[in-house]
Amino acid sequence: MRYRTFRLHILRSTTALVLATSTFGAAARADEGMWTMDNLPTRQLKQRYGFTPSAEWISRVTQASARLTLGCSASFVSADGLVMTNHHCANECLAELSPKGENWFQNGFSSKGQASEPQCPAMELDRLDRITDVTATMGKALAGQQGAAYSQAQKAAEAGIQKDCVAGDPTHWRCDVVTLYHGGRTALYRYKRYQDVRLVFAPDQNAAFFGGDPDNFNFPRYDLDLTFLRAYENGHPAKVTYFPFDAEGPKDGQLVFTSGNPGSTSREEPVAQLQLTRDLELPSTYGYLSTLDGVLWQYGRQGAQQTQDAQDMLFGVENSLKVYAGWLQTLADPAMMATKQKYETGLRAWIDADPARKATYGDPWTKLGSALDKERALNVRYTMIEGGPRGNPRGFQSDLFHYAKILVRGAAERAKPDAQRLSAFHDANLPAVEDALKSPAPVHADLDRTLLAFSLTRLRQALGADDATVHQVLGQDSPDIRANTLVDGSKLADPAVRMALWTGGQAAIDASTDPMIVLVRTIEPTARALRDQWDNDIVSVQRQTSETISKARFARDGAGSYPDATFTQRLSFGVVKGWNENGKQVPAFTTFAGLYDRATGSDPFRLTQPWIDAKPHLDMKTKFDFASTNDIIGGNSGSPVIDARGHAVGLIFDGNIHSLGGDFVYDGSQNRAVAVDTSAILAALRTVYKNQAVADELVKGHL
Amino acid sequence: MRYRTFRLHILRSTTALVLATSTFGAAARADEGMWTMDNLPTRQLKQRYGFTPSAEWISRVTQASARLTLGCSASFVSADGLVMTNHHCANECLAELSPKGENWFQNGFSSKGQASEPQCPAMELDRLDRITDVTATMGKALAGQQGAAYSQAQKAAEAGIQKDCVAGDPTHWRCDVVTLYHGGRTALYRYKRYQDVRLVFAPDQNAAFFGGDPDNFNFPRYDLDLTFLRAYENGHPAKVTYFPFDAEGPKDGQLVFTSGNPGSTSREEPVAQLQLTRDLELPSTYGYLSTLDGVLWQYGRQGAQQTQDAQDMLFGVENSLKVYAGWLQTLADPAMMATKQKYETGLRAWIDADPARKATYGDPWTKLGSALDKERALNVRYTMIEGGPRGNPRGFQSDLFHYAKILVRGAAERAKPDAQRLSAFHDANLPAVEDALKSPAPVHADLDRTLLAFSLTRLRQALGADDATVHQVLGQDSPDIRANTLVDGSKLADPAVRMALWTGGQAAIDASTDPMIVLVRTIEPTARALRDQWDNDIVSVQRQTSETISKARFARDGAGSYPDATFTQRLSFGVVKGWNENGKQVPAFTTFAGLYDRATGSDPFRLTQPWIDAKPHLDMKTKFDFASTNDIIGGNSGSPVIDARGHAVGLIFDGNIHSLGGDFVYDGSQNRAVAVDTSAILAALRTVYKNQAVADELVKGHL
């Protein structure tokens, strides 16, 4: 597993996302590129593969693709809203829906027919509806602004654009303002929003993640990392455009595409930013996650319930660790850094060579350097106390804390005019927040206590025992005792309690004696101040300087390439192909035979009984997983692999170990995407899981 | 706590130790320097402090200093063999001696008089007896040798020198061949060996390590990190030269010395080596230890027994993590690296400028580069399967495995002539090995299972599930199941079983069916091959190239400075002094008043009842801990701080956070050693612990 995005990077600073930029250099090489649908590399496709996408092809690919807001990609594979994505993209849904005493995440799930498909809590699927260029509007709103005023103007402009876009119906439309090409272009993405997504089929975890952490990011591979969901509208299966499902899968050397939502790349980040990532952000994140990995691993060994409660988070953490290990290795490569430095030096020289250009662009690198010095000074406090917008801060890893923070901050934000709020609390985004608060997903109290005790320990260690915030948080208690008091005393595990506090607004928050609410209320002024500093002194400068650099690059090189990834829809092209590993050729395909050869009987190489029973009835030569040269990254999890006809031939779920450097540079000789073959999906449905209904729907293209 | 050496770095590759070299640049600045007793910086001491050490002073300091072979320093503080060292240097002894149901490590210990002092298992104390220069002998033995032949010649020459030195009495003498100045000088250190070391007094852990991990490497500090031991000879207290114990402690600004055994520094490592440490060795070690930290932390939370069993290792791991975090930060400093690069470039230019020099020195940097490329390729396999000589390999963290490995390898090695053995199994070193095998220290089976399961998981993750060694080790089992089988089936927890296998030699090993012996036997050919490659292709090249670089440096700059640390006796000088932290002055001393102010009642800021009861009877203005500019490093733990008269005024136990860069560079403006004041030791003995016997012995200087 791997290629879902934000949850995997939940603990990472948001810098990389903020600085998402255009590709390195002007011309993408080999099969490089994550292309927007309105700027496909038609010349390259024609020259290299003799393929020219028709307007109908482009439209179908756009309409049949989707994304899960939790950070994955997906596709429609029947006219009746059947959605194909990865098993690891439905982990939470499977865990949360499991009835007492059952474990669907571990043991799999088959609905007893369309009428009895259960709804995944808090799952949202978005289908791209239209893209509008708002570069001019945003440019006007931000002209001449600096620091806090810049942040404020940006928030206000985005809120206005989004508000207009959802047209009073935020439960049906989702609108995101997306910065492309490092500020070279700003686009408004409107999505059709499906908040009723139900579970149709999932294999058992042993099959979905065969080989587990040891095999993760490796190939040859034998995983059925698959889940089928269904989008509903008004209580009925949604009628959609879809990819016809190919029963044969692709051939070696065949041209294939992926249509998905790569989360974030950093291929055009300034060198100073990459150095900060290498020297500060990555080591600190890697250390924190490694320790958390150890805590969760040992927690899971304490019993079957603990294993079950911790496993989703454990997989996410171990997955991220592999990614970051790859990043550390890539960023430690002096040749790679030297190439980027050379490019940057050239661009600076180009600016400096002409007084007019110097007047236009100034010296964004020096400005950025000062902002990065501020980040260096603020990083530990910020990540411990306030952290990124998508995850808890490192000092407070607790579901209950997370709810309390949404409630406390949400009450204050909703009291402001829409344009002045933090983006998560814009009117257009409130349905998603409420959906999360209403989620019936259980809070595992013992795990929550453990994670909170762990993170409070880290908070004290990072800031020191004499720090004022540490005193506020711990008082005279040890982290363990404090975590127990907070988790045992809080009622926020109950959705009804949360919704009462949400609807009660600021008055309810002020009156609450829930210890978790009291804690968040206490540290909120500190956390707010940190966020203001971070946004105004660091992020807004990064954004402005990036934009300036990007404009200089456009002026010199033109804008013929693709923008860095932004968790928006992109097409990548490539061919089904193995690679050469230390002189040995790795074939493009694996087969069922390889799976059975590799099964040892012990986790994570253990097959469940349905697979053992099915062996005599399966064709051992059936292709299982395959590698291709497509340029993908975290967030592409669940992307369909499609052929030149626009039919689904595979399902992306991973990249090989060489793909980990893809955040910074694409290397076509070894970087490979890894997918499940559609022929394996059909065989598994029919022969292993005996789910003829889903198999038939795939073949027919409708229910 | 901190400043003990090898155990803290137990998991680190040995490169840094191997490459211990002379100081950076020719002239040490400020109070920099870890000086050998035969080359004290008399001119600097005279100029800066008007102090000239007399021959008697030097002799007394040499004779009254000692080291604990587990990686600490110590000193004699009474004529009857009373030894002062740190509490954290006696962790194992305190834990291992605790009778069933008691916890001396946690609760402290006071003997009921000299006659009832219990012996610490497997503890050895060495007092330096003499230093002999063997540069010429070694030079002759190694002349013209390369690769495997070089390693072999080195082993043989060292074995011969050591054998002569112990003069047939290895239980009374310990002889180490020590490479100083990066190969510029080789010295033979002969020590008087005390293998009967008994426990006299230790405070409770809350007082010894007040502030715990959060305060570790921080100052102001309030720790009584102290243990008194006693060296015995023939069953009686050893008669020794000692440091008179000063009842007042030092004054602010006073000249003070430390006499101890700094373990290892890397101040003169070639830049390419530092880069490898920064980019490969450190990140991988940091990640591994961080995960282990999480495992141990959660393990300790499972119950009181688990807490007790895991705490010593947990403290060691957390301590190392702080050290490595400091290293990562120091090595990420481009200015520091640039300075070192500039120095190196200058030296290379000096060699290249003269054909005769070029003929003499050649190009050691290019040679070293090739060896480092080999390390890059071999590092993961080596550290997972074979590892450093002082710790278990990362794939096999288990006490039982450790015993099995000593037994299997020891049997094979002892069958060879002395000169051809690995150094740990030279005749001169066998008493220490046997002592370890006989140790009555318990093996905590549940913890051993946990650590083995953890490390087998890492082994598989690092080498891949298809690796032949992984197959040999795991077979069809999961790491958890395999660890259970190995630990549950092995009888090596019993010292008698171990000694039977040891005395039985190769025949006993071949016949053994103990599963841990069988495992080690199975992988021994692989582990041996890795060690040979490592020693011959990497370490011997590092050694030779370091020696060449060192000789060039000596030729150009002269040899007036101190050698990099080698866990041999060194004197450092400095003054008692605070420092400026972000514009705020940190005072040099803390007091008892500060301790009571800081106590919250919760661990690790909780005072035990004796301290609470003693409060009204203590003078709150008593100095507790102090900071000084002395240049120390891991291994200096337990070093006495002495004044110009040669009296003990303090006890080193830590450095501040700025001292962590001291492995690579000394910064006199902020780098501080941290010690317990002798006046606090006396007050605590008399008023808190009511141990008048030890206090009286300190004041009188004898029993």
Side-chain angles (χ1 to χ4, degrees):
Chain A
M1 77 162 191
R2 132 160 234 205
Y3 271 81
R4 54 188 272 189
T5 174
F6 301 136
R7 287 296 297 267
L8 302 184
H9 302 166
I10 192 164
L11 297 153
R12 196 182 169 223
S13 120
T14 58
T15 315
L17 281 171
V18 170
L19 283 187
T21 81
S22 73
T23 184
F24 183 65
R29 293 146 301 183
D31 295 340
E32 177 177 348
M34 301 167 177
W35 304 87
T36 53
M37 297 306 285
D38 54 2
N39 181 32
L40 294 181
T42 43
R43 200 171 47 85
Q44 281 167 259
L45 281 171
K46 172 95 182 152
Q47 280 181 352
R48 191 180 294 229
Y49 299 109
F51 175 75
T52 304
S54 67
E56 186 277 334
W57 190 93
I58 294 172
S59 159
R60 178 140 50 87
V61 170
T62 306
Q63 303 277 321
S65 303
R67 68 175 192 185
L68 296 169
T69 52
L70 55 73
C72 277
S73 298
S75 63
F76 290 116
V77 284
S78 101
D80 291 305
L82 189 67
V83 173
M84 177 170 74
T85 187
N86 293 141
H87 188 271
H88 76 265
C89 294
N91 284 359
E92 290 93 341
C93 173
L94 288 162
E96 290 164 5
L97 284 180
S98 297
K100 187 105 192 139
E102 292 187 47
N103 188 344
W104 293 353
F105 167 69
Q106 191 61 52
N107 303 320
F109 172 82
S110 267
S111 82
K112 295 195 187 0
Q114 179 267 313
S116 53
E117 291 162 355
Q119 188 182 346
C120 288
M123 183 179 269
E124 176 175 328
L125 182 128
D126 296 336
R127 183 187 56 71
L128 188 59
D129 180 65
R130 68 164 194 229
I131 305 174
T132 317
D133 195 312
V134 293
T135 310
T137 316
M138 286 299 289
K140 211 150 69 180
L142 297 178
Q145 306 288 1
Q146 303 284 345
Y150 182 95
S151 297
Q152 197 51 52
Q154 183 200 331
K155 259 187 261 177
E158 288 185 7
I161 291 169
Q162 286 177 6
K163 193 162 196 149
D164 290 349
C165 169
V166 299
D169 197 359
T171 59
H172 287 100
W173 300 112
R174 176 196 175 100
C175 294
D176 294 345
V177 174
V178 179
T179 302
L180 297 165
Y181 297 102
H182 226 307
R185 187 181 158 205
T186 310
L188 176 67
Y189 277 63
R190 182 164 89 163
Y191 297 93
K192 173 98 178 73
R193 187 168 222 166
Y194 295 95
Q195 286 182 301
D196 181 355
V197 182
R198 305 191 189 176
L199 183 61
V200 176
F201 167 82
D204 56 276
Q205 164 75 350
N206 287 51
F209 196 38
F210 184 81
D213 183 60
D215 272 8
N216 197 13
F217 293 110
N218 287 319
F219 193 86
R221 199 64 171 283
Y222 310 87
D223 287 7
L224 190 75
D225 192 348
L226 162 77
T227 295
F228 287 111
L229 307 167
R230 193 184 306 278
Y232 278 71
E233 205 166 10
N234 306 318
H236 300 286
K239 293 293 173 189
V240 298
T241 301
Y242 69 100
F243 293 116
F245 196 84
D246 188 278
E248 304 295 328
K251 307 254 176 307
D252 205 343
Q254 180 178 326
L255 172 65
V256 286
F257 303 85
T258 66
S259 169
N261 296 266
S264 132
T265 49
S266 308
R267 294 184 186 171
E268 203 45 48
E269 274 190 11
V271 171
Q273 179 68 54
L274 292 178
Q275 284 167 339
L276 186 77
T277 302
R278 180 191 67 192
D279 298 336
L280 175 67
E281 292 172 353
L282 263 184
S284 103
T285 304
Y286 195 75
Y288 183 89
L289 282 185
S290 293
T291 316
L292 185 56
D293 180 31
V295 171
L296 290 167
W297 181 82
Q298 180 62 12
Y299 184 86
R301 293 175 76 243
Q302 292 170 222
Q305 186 63 47
Q306 285 91 338
T307 304
Q308 184 172 340
D309 293 349
Q311 62 191 356
D312 181 38
M313 191 173 187
L314 181 61
F315 291 156
V317 167
E318 293 189 336
N319 192 59
S320 296
L321 282 170
K322 282 214 175 177
V323 175
Y324 294 144
W327 289 11
L328 281 166
Q329 211 178 339
T330 303
L331 290 176
D333 175 10
M336 192 276 283
M337 285 298 232
T339 308
K340 291 198 183 262
Q341 184 68 65
K342 196 178 157 193
Y343 179 84
E344 197 168 298
T345 306
L347 192 64
R348 292 182 81 154
W350 179 80
I351 293 175
D352 291 345
D354 177 75
R357 288 201 286 263
K358 214 163 156 43
T360 307
Y361 304 113
D363 180 0
W365 289 277
T366 300
K367 247 171 127 175
L368 177 65
S370 315
L372 296 182
D373 283 345
K374 284 182 191 155
E375 181 180 342
R376 228 167 243 114
L378 204 61
N379 182 280
V380 172
R381 278 192 81 72
Y382 178 76
T383 54
M384 278 290 153
I385 297 175
E386 171 67 10
R390 285 179 199 81
N392 282 330
R394 288 187 193 163
F396 303 92
Q397 286 293 318
S398 145
D399 285 349
L400 295 176
F401 178 91
H402 182 65
Y403 285 128
K405 181 144 180 170
I406 292 175
L407 290 168
V408 170
R409 190 159 288 184
E413 289 296 303
R414 282 178 300 153
K416 301 177 187 171
D418 194 49
Q420 289 168 28
R421 297 181 200 162
L422 291 168
S423 63
F425 298 102
H426 284 166
D427 282 335
N429 295 328
L430 293 183
V433 176
E434 292 188 9
D435 224 40
L437 290 173
K438 281 181 206 154
S439 166
V443 173
H444 306 299
D446 186 51
L447 181 59
D448 218 48
R449 268 193 296 270
T450 299
L451 293 175
L452 188 55
F454 161 73
S455 47
L456 292 176
T457 303
R458 300 299 293 222
L459 177 81
R460 184 175 65 188
Q461 187 194 61
L463 305 184
D466 298 323
D467 179 83
T469 306
V470 173
H471 274 296
Q472 275 186 315
V473 172
L474 291 179
Q476 303 285 90
D477 290 339
S478 70
D480 255 309
I481 290 172
R482 187 74 177 122
N484 290 349
T485 311
L486 287 164
V487 173
D488 295 349
S490 177
K491 301 275 177 273
L492 298 181
D494 181 349
V497 171
R498 297 196 295 263
M499 284 313 293
L501 283 162
W502 176 256
T503 51
Q506 192 63 51
I509 295 297
D510 291 345
S512 173
T513 57
D514 188 287
M516 204 63 92
I517 295 284
V518 173
L519 170 68
V520 173
R521 238 170 32 206
T522 310
I523 62 169
E524 184 66 355
T526 306
R528 284 273 193 179
L530 283 166
R531 167 157 294 270
D532 286 347
Q533 270 188 281
W534 191 262
D535 286 350
N536 299 337
D537 300 348
I538 300 167
V539 177
S540 78
V541 180
Q542 288 173 324
R543 214 184 138 107
Q544 283 187 294
T545 53
S546 300
E547 197 182 312
T548 307
I549 294 170
S550 176
K551 281 178 178 154
R553 186 185 303 119
F554 274 29
R556 191 186 68 167
D557 305 332
S561 198
Y562 65 95
D564 249 331
T566 48
F567 197 47
T568 54
Q569 198 188 0
R570 304 294 179 89
L571 192 83
S572 78
F573 63 94
V575 290
V576 175
K577 194 176 173 183
W579 75 96
N580 191 295
E581 183 77 44
N582 295 326
K584 225 182 111 185
Q585 189 62 24
V586 180
F589 286 97
T590 62
T591 62
F592 280 159
L595 170 73
Y596 285 98
D597 282 352
R598 206 141 191 279
T600 64
S602 293
D603 285 327
F605 301 96
R606 187 172 60 79
L607 291 174
T608 52
Q609 202 56 46
W611 282 90
I612 295 166
D613 295 343
K615 190 176 176 188
H617 311 291
L618 286 168
D619 178 355
M620 286 298 116
K621 295 193 296 294
T622 306
K623 294 171 291 149
F624 196 166
D625 293 344
F626 65 88
S628 70
T629 62
N630 297 70
D631 186 4
I632 61 167
I633 208 77
N636 270 114
S637 271
S639 299
V641 182
I642 50 186
D643 63 16
R645 296 169 306 163
H647 292 194
V649 295
L651 168 63
I652 290 290
F653 70 97
D654 206 352
N656 70 355
I657 201 83
H658 306 293
S659 73
L660 291 174
D663 279 86
F664 306 102
V665 67
Y666 173 85
D667 169 11
S669 68
Q670 297 208 300
N671 187 332
R672 291 293 176 273
V674 175
V676 189
D677 195 290
T678 45
S679 65
I681 293 174
L682 275 183
L685 282 171
R686 293 211 185 278
T687 310
V688 181
Y689 297 103
K690 309 208 186 321
N691 191 326
Q692 310 308 336
V694 174
D696 289 344
E697 185 176 350
L698 289 170
V699 172
K700 287 188 290 180
H702 56 83
L703 268 168
Chain B
M1 73 164 195
R2 131 157 234 211
Y3 270 82
R4 53 189 275 190
T5 175
F6 301 136
R7 286 297 296 269
L8 301 185
H9 302 165
I10 192 165
L11 298 154
R12 196 184 168 222
S13 121
T14 58
T15 316
L17 280 169
V18 170
L19 284 188
T21 82
S22 72
T23 183
F24 183 65
R29 294 144 301 182
D31 294 341
E32 177 177 346
M34 302 168 177
W35 304 87
T36 53
M37 297 306 286
D38 54 2
N39 180 33
L40 294 182
T42 43
R43 199 172 47 84
Q44 282 168 256
L45 281 171
K46 174 94 181 152
Q47 280 182 353
R48 188 180 296 229
Y49 298 110
F51 175 77
T52 304
S54 67
E56 186 276 334
W57 190 93
I58 294 172
S59 159
R60 178 140 50 88
V61 170
T62 306
Q63 302 278 320
S65 304
R67 68 175 192 185
L68 296 169
T69 51
L70 56 73
C72 278
S73 298
S75 63
F76 290 117
V77 285
S78 103
D80 290 304
L82 189 68
V83 173
M84 177 169 75
T85 187
N86 291 141
H87 188 269
H88 76 263
C89 295
N91 283 359
E92 289 92 342
C93 172
L94 288 161
E96 290 163 6
L97 284 180
S98 298
K100 187 105 191 140
E102 290 187 48
N103 187 345
W104 292 354
F105 167 69
Q106 190 60 51
N107 303 320
F109 172 82
S110 268
S111 83
K112 297 197 183 2
Q114 179 265 312
S116 53
E117 291 162 355
Q119 187 182 346
C120 288
M123 183 178 268
E124 176 174 328
L125 182 129
D126 297 335
R127 183 187 57 70
L128 187 59
D129 181 64
R130 69 166 192 227
I131 304 174
T132 317
D133 195 311
V134 293
T135 310
T137 316
M138 285 299 288
K140 212 149 68 180
L142 297 179
Q145 307 288 4
Q146 303 284 345
Y150 182 95
S151 298
Q152 196 52 51
Q154 183 201 332
K155 261 186 260 177
E158 288 187 7
I161 291 170
Q162 286 177 5
K163 191 160 198 153
D164 290 350
C165 169
V166 298
D169 198 358
T171 59
H172 286 99
W173 300 113
R174 177 195 175 101
C175 294
D176 294 344
V177 175
V178 179
T179 303
L180 297 165
Y181 296 102
H182 226 309
R185 189 181 155 204
T186 310
L188 176 67
Y189 277 64
R190 183 164 88 162
Y191 297 94
K192 173 98 177 75
R193 185 168 224 166
Y194 295 95
Q195 286 182 298
D196 183 354
V197 182
R198 305 191 190 176
L199 183 60
V200 176
F201 168 83
D204 56 276
Q205 163 75 350
N206 287 49
F209 196 38
F210 184 81
D213 181 61
D215 273 9
N216 198 14
F217 293 111
N218 288 318
F219 193 85
R221 200 63 172 282
Y222 310 87
D223 287 6
L224 190 75
D225 192 349
L226 163 77
T227 295
F228 287 112
L229 307 167
R230 193 184 304 280
Y232 278 72
E233 204 166 14
N234 306 318
H236 300 286
K239 294 293 175 189
V240 298
T241 301
Y242 71 101
F243 293 116
F245 197 84
D246 187 277
E248 304 296 328
K251 307 253 178 304
D252 206 344
Q254 180 178 326
L255 172 65
V256 287
F257 303 85
T258 67
S259 168
N261 296 267
S264 131
T265 49
S266 309
R267 293 183 187 173
E268 204 42 50
E269 274 190 12
V271 171
Q273 179 68 54
L274 292 178
Q275 284 167 338
L276 185 76
T277 302
R278 179 192 67 192
D279 298 336
L280 175 66
E281 292 172 354
L282 263 183
S284 104
T285 304
Y286 195 75
Y288 184 88
L289 283 185
S290 293
T291 316
L292 186 55
D293 180 30
V295 171
L296 291 167
W297 181 83
Q298 180 62 12
Y299 185 85
R301 293 175 78 243
Q302 293 171 222
Q305 186 62 47
Q306 285 90 339
T307 305
Q308 184 170 340
D309 293 349
Q311 62 191 354
D312 181 39
M313 191 172 188
L314 181 62
F315 291 157
V317 167
E318 292 189 336
N319 192 59
S320 296
L321 282 170
K322 282 214 176 179
V323 174
Y324 294 143
W327 289 11
L328 281 167
Q329 210 178 340
T330 303
L331 290 176
D333 175 9
M336 192 278 281
M337 285 298 230
T339 309
K340 291 197 183 259
Q341 184 66 64
K342 194 178 158 193
Y343 178 85
E344 198 167 297
T345 306
L347 191 62
R348 292 182 82 155
W350 178 81
I351 292 175
D352 291 345
D354 178 73
R357 288 202 287 264
K358 214 161 155 44
T360 307
Y361 304 114
D363 180 0
W365 287 278
T366 300
K367 245 171 129 175
L368 177 64
S370 314
L372 296 183
D373 282 345
K374 285 183 190 154
E375 181 180 341
R376 227 167 244 115
L378 205 60
N379 183 282
V380 171
R381 278 193 82 72
Y382 178 76
T383 54
M384 278 291 151
I385 297 174
E386 172 66 10
R390 284 180 199 80
N392 282 332
R394 289 189 191 160
F396 302 94
Q397 288 291 320
S398 144
D399 285 349
L400 296 176
F401 178 92
H402 184 64
Y403 285 130
K405 180 141 179 171
I406 292 175
L407 290 168
V408 169
R409 191 159 287 184
E413 289 295 301
R414 282 179 299 153
K416 302 177 187 170
D418 194 48
Q420 289 169 26
R421 296 181 201 163
L422 291 168
S423 64
F425 298 102
H426 284 165
D427 282 335
N429 296 328
L430 293 183
V433 176
E434 292 188 8
D435 225 40
L437 290 173
K438 280 181 206 155
S439 166
V443 173
H444 306 299
D446 186 51
L447 181 58
D448 218 49
R449 268 192 296 270
T450 300
L451 293 175
L452 188 55
F454 161 73
S455 47
L456 292 176
T457 304
R458 301 297 293 219
L459 178 80
R460 184 176 62 189
Q461 187 194 60
L463 305 185
D466 299 322
D467 179 83
T469 306
V470 173
H471 274 296
Q472 275 186 316
V473 171
L474 290 180
Q476 303 286 89
D477 289 338
S478 70
D480 255 309
I481 290 173
R482 187 74 177 122
N484 289 350
T485 310
L486 287 165
V487 173
D488 295 349
S490 177
K491 301 274 176 275
L492 298 181
D494 180 350
V497 171
R498 297 194 296 263
M499 285 311 294
L501 282 163
W502 176 256
T503 50
Q506 192 62 52
I509 294 297
D510 291 345
S512 173
T513 57
D514 188 287
M516 205 63 94
I517 295 283
V518 173
L519 170 69
V520 173
R521 238 170 31 205
T522 310
I523 61 169
E524 184 67 355
T526 306
R528 284 275 194 180
L530 283 167
R531 166 155 294 270
D532 286 347
Q533 269 187 284
W534 191 262
D535 286 350
N536 299 336
D537 300 348
I538 301 167
V539 178
S540 79
V541 181
Q542 287 173 325
R543 213 185 139 108
Q544 282 187 295
T545 52
S546 301
E547 196 181 312
T548 307
I549 295 170
S550 176
K551 281 180 178 154
R553 186 184 302 116
F554 274 29
R556 190 186 70 167
D557 304 332
S561 197
Y562 65 94
D564 248 332
T566 48
F567 197 47
T568 54
Q569 199 188 359
R570 304 293 177 88
L571 193 82
S572 79
F573 64 95
V575 290
V576 175
K577 193 175 175 184
W579 75 96
N580 192 292
E581 183 78 43
N582 295 326
K584 227 182 110 186
Q585 189 63 22
V586 180
F589 287 98
T590 62
T591 63
F592 280 160
L595 170 73
Y596 286 98
D597 281 352
R598 204 140 192 280
T600 63
S602 293
D603 286 326
F605 301 95
R606 187 173 59 81
L607 292 174
T608 52
Q609 203 55 45
W611 283 89
I612 295 166
D613 295 343
K615 189 176 178 190
H617 311 292
L618 285 168
D619 179 355
M620 287 296 117
K621 294 192 296 293
T622 305
K623 293 170 291 148
F624 196 165
D625 293 343
F626 65 87
S628 71
T629 63
N630 298 69
D631 186 5
I632 62 167
I633 209 76
N636 270 113
S637 271
S639 298
V641 182
I642 51 185
D643 63 15
R645 297 169 306 164
H647 292 194
V649 294
L651 167 63
I652 289 290
F653 71 97
D654 206 352
N656 69 355
I657 200 83
H658 305 294
S659 73
L660 291 175
D663 279 87
F664 306 101
V665 66
Y666 174 85
D667 168 12
S669 69
Q670 297 209 299
N671 186 333
R672 291 293 178 274
V674 174
V676 189
D677 196 290
T678 46
S679 65
I681 293 174
L682 275 183
L685 282 171
R686 292 211 186 277
T687 310
V688 180
Y689 297 103
K690 309 206 184 324
N691 191 326
Q692 310 308 336
V694 174
D696 290 344
E697 184 176 352
L698 289 170
V699 172
K700 286 190 292 181
H702 57 82
L703 270 168

